[in-house]
Amino acid sequence: MRKSPSVSPTAARVSRRSLLAGGGATLSAAAIGLLAGAPSLLGARAARASDPSADARILNTALAAEHEAVAAYQVGAESGLLAKDALDLAVQFQGHHKEHAELLARTVRALGGAPADPRSEYAFPVDQLQSQTDVLRFAAGLEKGAVSAYLGAVPLFGNRDLAKAAASILGDEAMHWSVLRYILGENPVPVAFVS
Amino acid sequence: MRRGAVCGAVLALAGVAFVAALAAGGDPTRAAELDAGREVYDRCLACHAIGYDRVGPRHCGLFGRRAGSVPGFPYSDAMRRSGIVWGPESLDAFLRDPPGFVPGTHMTWAGIPEPDARSQLIAWLAFATAPSRCGPAAAP
């Protein structure tokens, strides 16, 4: 990951340029099958979708959250607080979020919408991040929230293929949350059901 | 970062059961309700924070605020035009089914079907978003 000079000591403001400079996402075949292949899926099954623009709105909200997650991991990676193993993990998870964002943007376009762009800057509570534990706990909270966000989005899709794809991302976010909890010394799977 | 944002971050990120206990003034039932509400608020953390705007707008000062009125936040037209003023009743209706209550909202989330969880969350929000705790005048 490349360094960005844009993290201030009091509030992390990550420039869009630094995020884009982090490298493009490499799309897995499976992911392409799920979402990047969405145009063909949509073509075959779009009749089931009651309102493609509503589906695009759901995806765009998720996309905005993925952009923010990429920025948040950038802050963690540049904090200087993470040991190598934790840093490697953070960069890997950030890569997943980049892949999610790329695929969500592509699908929004396939639905005829305009994908949300990353913000020019983000504000994070860097004052509260004083140790590796703080950074990992912050990331775990965001990942837990992401699980809830996707869980709340899945039933709203008119197109069930998109619901399936969103559920696939949900599973990835849940793995992130679980691994982060494990590293923090917490029960990695504290509940049988997520909410 | 503004002091309010820091305070909001503390409330949102830290283990704040002790804060709830203090706010409850020794009432264990009230403390349990606030602590449960803070846990429900975890569901919101993909998009929201108390003290600063994220994918969703900041929650500090929520009660009594007109929907769609945080300066500079890019709301949907639907939210800006909703005419909602946030309070316990409007929050309960919105949180039960956000897209149903405000069709066209960017909060594309199915909501919280459990009445108890909504009630706990609203109690927590009433506590944590009070400007005296999260606004510019909040103690550091």
Side-chain angles (χ1 to χ4, degrees):
Chain A
M1 181 176 300
R2 296 173 189 169
K3 293 282 289 181
S4 166
S6 57
V7 179
S8 74
T10 55
R13 301 195 179 279
V14 182
S15 72
R16 183 179 174 188
R17 177 179 299 174
S18 74
L19 299 178
L20 296 177
T26 302
L27 307 182
S28 71
I32 290 172
L34 270 173
L35 272 176
S40 60
L41 290 174
L42 291 167
R45 305 181 186 178
R48 284 212 308 246
S50 57
D51 184 355
S53 67
D55 283 352
R57 193 161 56 245
I58 299 167
L59 294 171
N60 245 344
T61 298
L63 175 58
E66 295 286 358
H67 286 319
E68 190 190 60
V70 171
Y73 274 108
Q74 188 80 12
V75 168
E78 295 178 351
S79 68
L81 297 169
L82 299 182
K84 183 178 185 310
D85 287 352
L87 177 60
D88 289 347
L89 203 61
V91 172
Q92 182 186 12
F93 289 178
Q94 184 193 45
H96 294 170
H97 288 290
K98 287 179 178 177
E99 290 191 46
H100 301 164
E102 172 64 27
L103 292 164
L104 290 167
R106 188 177 301 186
T107 307
V108 169
R109 287 191 202 95
L111 290 167
D117 289 324
R119 290 188 182 182
S120 57
E121 62 178 28
Y122 292 90
F124 296 112
V126 172
D127 310 58
Q128 305 303 313
L129 307 179
Q130 302 294 330
S131 67
Q132 173 168 295
T133 295
D134 292 340
V135 173
L136 296 178
R137 199 176 300 283
F138 177 57
L142 295 180
E143 297 287 8
K144 182 181 182 185
V147 171
S148 297
Y150 279 105
L151 187 64
V154 164
L156 300 181
F157 284 105
N159 184 311
R160 294 179 67 179
D161 293 316
L162 296 177
K164 176 182 175 183
S168 171
I169 297 176
L170 186 161
D172 185 60
E173 314 284 23
M175 285 191 283
H176 294 174
W177 179 48
S178 181
V179 168
L180 290 166
R181 285 182 61 89
Y182 181 78
I183 295 172
L184 286 163
E186 300 172 356
N187 182 344
V189 190
V191 291
F193 302 95
V194 294
S195 59
Chain B
M1 176 177 290
R2 298 173 313 282
R3 187 188 300 170
V6 173
C7 183
V10 171
L11 289 168
L13 298 175
V16 289
F18 75 96
V19 177
L22 285 174
D27 179 346
T29 303
R30 169 75 170 153
E33 180 185 47
L34 290 177
D35 203 37
R38 183 191 57 79
E39 289 191 20
V40 178
Y41 191 68
D42 283 354
R43 304 183 198 181
C44 313
L45 292 181
C47 299
H48 287 283
I50 299 288
Y52 55 99
D53 296 338
R54 296 181 53 210
V55 174
R58 72 193 67 181
H59 282 144
C60 189
L62 178 65
F63 282 66
R65 188 165 79 201
R66 186 171 57 81
S69 67
V70 170
F73 187 83
Y75 291 97
S76 63
D77 289 343
M79 186 60 75
R80 272 199 302 270
R81 296 170 182 167
S82 68
I84 294 169
V85 175
W86 295 121
E89 291 182 5
S90 56
L91 282 168
D92 186 68
F94 181 67
L95 291 169
R96 185 172 54 200
D97 179 10
F101 194 61
V102 183
T105 178
H106 290 162
M107 188 164 151
T108 48
W109 192 60
I112 301 173
E114 314 96 308
D116 287 351
R118 289 200 306 275
S119 175
Q120 292 160 349
L121 175 59
I122 291 166
W124 167 251
L125 286 170
F127 164 72
T129 70
S132 61
R133 293 191 179 86
C134 60

